[in-house]
Amino acid sequence: MIAHTGLAVRDFKAAKRFYERALSPLGYAPKMEHGESTGFNDGKNTDFWIGKGNTVEPTHVAFEAKSKDEVEAFYRAALAAGGRDNGGPGYRRDYWPGYYAAFVYDLDGHNIEAVWYDYDAEHAAQSE
């Protein structure tokens, strides 16, 4: 299991503002700060970090949402915070039938995703 992960960002202050807004619908908020790094907490763990980096290689991080509505709220909040669309909310049946997700590029080009696992849709597809 992964205890926490982090991303390097070019502009720490702008990235912190972006993630505060984008992750709020998923229940995340800044919890710890060390210099130019911040850890975000979902109410249980401080498991996502951003920090100023000299080299930023875009990567992918997916956050699990509790509902379809949370995925949609994440997408709207991330776009409003300056993110760029990389796939609006919807089922990704090519992943599996109950995979409902949205994708946004953050300010550094990281592919940030919110996903909700719709087990009812998965079971319905299996019974077809």
Side-chain angles (χ1 to χ4, degrees):
M1 301 301 276
I2 297 171
H4 58 271
T5 191
L7 295 177
V9 297
R10 288 179 184 90
D11 182 336
F12 171 71
K13 288 180 182 178
K16 182 179 175 190
R17 284 190 304 271
F18 171 82
Y19 281 103
E20 284 176 326
R21 293 176 64 193
L23 298 182
S24 177
L26 302 175
Y28 277 86
K31 178 74 171 185
M32 299 173 69
E33 195 155 322
H34 297 283
E36 287 189 295
S37 66
T38 294
F40 290 81
N41 184 291
D42 65 354
K44 293 184 270 183
N45 299 306
T46 303
D47 53 18
F48 178 69
W49 288 80
I50 59 166
K52 174 90 170 132
N54 294 327
T55 304
V56 176
E57 292 293 327
T59 191
H60 173 73
V61 176
F63 293 89
E64 187 172 354
K66 295 177 191 78
S67 67
K68 190 177 187 179
D69 290 340
E70 275 194 7
V71 170
E72 293 165 2
F74 154 81
Y75 181 74
R76 288 189 305 271
L79 291 179
R84 292 179 295 118
D85 172 61
N86 188 29
Y91 285 102
R92 303 306 198 268
R93 299 194 194 293
D94 52 327
Y95 295 1
W96 62 270
Y99 199 100
Y100 189 87
F103 303 84
V104 175
Y105 290 119
D106 77 357
L107 307 178
D108 290 293
H110 297 297
N111 180 19
I112 309 302
E113 172 185 0
V115 58
W116 171 60
Y117 301 109
D118 181 353
Y119 294 107
D120 292 335
E122 177 187 15
H123 295 306
Q126 289 174 353
S127 64
E128 291 177 354

